[in-house]
């Protein structure tokens, strides 16, 4: 937790009731231990999406399709391309997204899928394997037009990112190193303006510079 749990509880408590279908899907995901965006991300993303009004959205990391449906609910049926490579989730996502003709599910590893995609996407939501954010950045750069928005989730890894390397289990060290490299690149790259925001599990919010 990077935020005082009491603050998070307060944020949850003031949220008006949302879409009942999405709420049921969130409860299902929580019961099945399937990752979905944290509740406190939703009002933030809603305001952001309604400000940017993207016509084309790219999501990297579909899960079972919760966030794709959530983004769809924020706008008037934008085109959403969402990528997932984990077979059991793909099967669920396919059923859950059925009938949403504006949402295209790409069933492939994002490392390959991104290379085949044609931009521009006005809004990219990066929510896949955390160790791969840095490796995906060159394709994200290509697919994002000037003025386009990149939102990357879970960048602070429950605060563990700033824990001493020696206190971090070996298997997580590489993930943390790559994430720190990604954050550094986003903060120092001349073609992005970036804010590291302590919302949820930490997000990177970037705009590609230029008009
Ligand atoms: C945090 S979950 C996504 C949750 C979803 N965005 C939501 O909020 O409903 C991350 C997903 O990314 C998928 N993923 C991870 N690495 C991937 C890759 N290289 N290509 C495609 N999907 C990937 C995982 O299988 C997992 O389902």
């Amino acid at each position: 937790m990077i935020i005082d749990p009491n603050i998070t509880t307060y944020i949850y408590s003031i949220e008006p009731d949302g879409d009942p279908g999405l709420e049921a899907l969130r409860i299902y995901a929580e019961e099945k231990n399937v990752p979905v965006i944290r509740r406190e991300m939703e009002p933030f993303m809603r305001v952001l999406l309604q400000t940017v009004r993207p016509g084309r959205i790219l999501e990297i990391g579909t899960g079972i399709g919760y966030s794709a449906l959530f983004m769809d609910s924020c706008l008037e049926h934008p085109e959403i391309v969402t990528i997932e490579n984990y077979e059991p989730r793909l099967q669920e996502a396919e059923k859950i997204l059925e009938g949403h003709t504006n949402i295209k599910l790409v069933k492939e590893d994002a490392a390959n899928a991104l290379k085949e995609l044609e931009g521009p996407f006005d809004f990219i939501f990066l929510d896949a394997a955390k160790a791969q954010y840095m490796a995906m950045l060159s394709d994200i750069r290509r697919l994002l037009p000037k003025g386009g928005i990149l939102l990357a989730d879970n960048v602070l890894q429950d605060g563990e990112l700033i824990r001493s390397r020696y206190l971090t289990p070996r298997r997580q060290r590489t993930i943390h190193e790559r994430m720190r490299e990604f954050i550094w690149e986003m903060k120092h790259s001349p073609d992005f303006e970036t804010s590291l925001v302590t919302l949820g599990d930490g997000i990177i919010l970037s705009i590609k510079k230029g008009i």
Side-chain angles (χ1 to χ4, degrees):
M1 285 268 175
I2 59 168
I3 309 284
D4 179 342
N6 291 327
I7 300 277
T8 308
T9 305
Y10 171 67
I11 292 173
Y12 287 3
S13 75
I14 58 169
E15 269 306 295
D17 289 342
D19 179 280
L22 278 171
E23 185 57 28
L25 187 55
R26 174 180 283 286
I27 291 167
Y28 169 80
E30 283 169 1
E31 280 169 5
K32 296 266 176 182
N33 232 353
V34 173
V36 296
I37 47 167
R38 296 188 184 193
R39 277 184 194 277
E40 61 268 40
M41 283 290 283
E42 293 192 8
F44 178 84
M45 284 177 76
R46 191 179 292 280
V47 171
L48 184 62
L49 285 165
Q50 291 183 1
T51 305
V52 177
R53 300 219 151 263
R56 290 190 88 205
I57 296 175
L58 172 63
E59 174 178 65
I60 310 170
T62 313
I64 58 168
Y66 180 87
S67 50
L69 285 181
F70 169 74
M71 291 191 283
D72 185 43
S73 79
C74 296
L75 298 162
E76 279 154 29
H77 307 305
E79 180 186 343
I80 301 177
V81 176
T82 180
I83 310 172
E84 175 62 53
N85 68 347
Y86 182 47
E87 193 52 43
R89 293 220 178 114
L90 270 174
Q91 288 178 9
E92 286 210 73
E94 224 169 2
K95 281 189 211 142
I96 287 165
L97 297 175
E98 202 180 339
H100 294 267
T101 49
N102 58 315
I103 305 177
K104 183 183 175 212
L105 179 59
V106 178
K107 304 172 208 168
E108 207 183 338
D109 192 290
N112 302 325
L114 287 172
K115 305 231 171 313
E116 290 155 18
L117 280 177
E118 276 184 36
F121 289 92
D122 324 294
F123 189 95
I124 299 183
F125 180 42
L126 178 53
D127 194 21
K130 311 309 159 192
Q132 295 173 16
Y133 282 15
M134 188 62 198
M136 292 174 183
L137 190 52
S138 64
D139 285 307
I140 288 171
R141 260 198 180 96
R142 176 178 59 79
L143 294 168
L144 207 58
K146 287 178 178 173
I149 298 289
L150 171 65
L151 176 64
D153 201 9
N154 307 107
V155 301
L156 290 177
Q157 300 278 286
D158 266 330
E160 289 177 8
L161 201 75
I162 57 162
R163 198 163 61 169
S164 159
R165 188 173 190 278
Y166 303 102
L167 295 173
T168 304
R170 191 182 292 270
R171 67 179 186 286
Q172 280 175 10
R173 280 186 201 164
T174 312
I175 299 176
H176 291 179
E177 275 165 22
R178 289 184 186 164
M179 185 57 88
R180 276 195 291 267
E181 195 188 341
F182 171 75
I183 292 171
W184 180 268
E185 176 68 18
M186 293 310 298
K187 287 297 300 179
H188 294 88
S189 169
D191 53 347
F192 284 107
E193 200 67 68
T194 291
S195 178
L196 170 54
V197 186
T198 52
L199 174 73
D201 193 19
I203 56 170
I204 280 285
L205 178 61
S206 301
I207 183 164
K208 192 162 171 191
K209 284 185 192 172
I211 303 295

